[in-house]
Amino acid sequence: MTKKGVLLTPLVLALALVLNMGQIMPGSTVNAAGSYNATIHYLNNTNWSEVGFYAWGNAGNLGAWPGTLVQENADHEGWYDGVVTNFGESKINVIFNENGKGGQTKDLSVDLTAGDEFWVVNEQVLTTAPEAWSGNV
């Protein structure tokens, strides 16, 4: 690589960082289009036989009620994973529910700038894994 190439690469990286500073916070997953990806783990301590994941933002719903039927996490017994991809807003609202059979969490607001992995325990959104998560590996 020539000296010109050595100087140009850091300059381009620095410019890209400055242009994205208003959108990216440490731990966030933001794709090139400025949208967010996240996994929201839900502890099914109510023992629902099925868990639905419903989400919406200011621009509207991400599908019809009761949302997507989600599966139990293969590595963490009792935890169910709602996945959000290419979401164009920094906050998302979610409800985990009994797949439309009556039971549901309250409306939960998730700040996607806080990271790309969240845990819901007793209707509280956590940005760090709770003890119950690490104990099931």
Side-chain angles (χ1 to χ4, degrees), residues 42 44 48-53 68-70 80 96-99:
Y42 170 71
N44 182 15
W48 295 330
S49 61
E50 295 180 321
V51 176
F53 175 69
T68 304
L69 180 65
V70 292
Y80 289 75
F96 285 92
N97 65 81
E98 195 177 6
N99 201 28

Side-chain angles (χ1 to χ4, degrees), residues 61-124:
N61 301 336
L62 299 179
W65 179 261
T68 304
L69 180 65
V70 292
Q71 301 300 311
E72 186 173 27
N73 184 296
D75 297 324
H76 300 276
E77 185 178 340
W79 291 88
Y80 289 75
D81 300 335
V83 177
V84 178
T85 56
N86 298 321
F87 190 68
E89 301 173 27
S90 62
K91 292 187 191 278
I92 190 168
N93 302 299
V94 301
I95 294 174
F96 285 92
N97 65 81
E98 195 177 6
N99 201 28
K101 296 177 185 154
Q104 70 180 56
T105 64
K106 66 180 181 180
D107 296 0
L108 304 167
S109 179
V110 180
D111 180 358
L112 297 174
T113 65
D116 58 6
E117 191 169 24
F118 303 88
W119 294 262
V120 175
V121 180
N122 297 325
E123 299 192 331
Q124 298 296 311

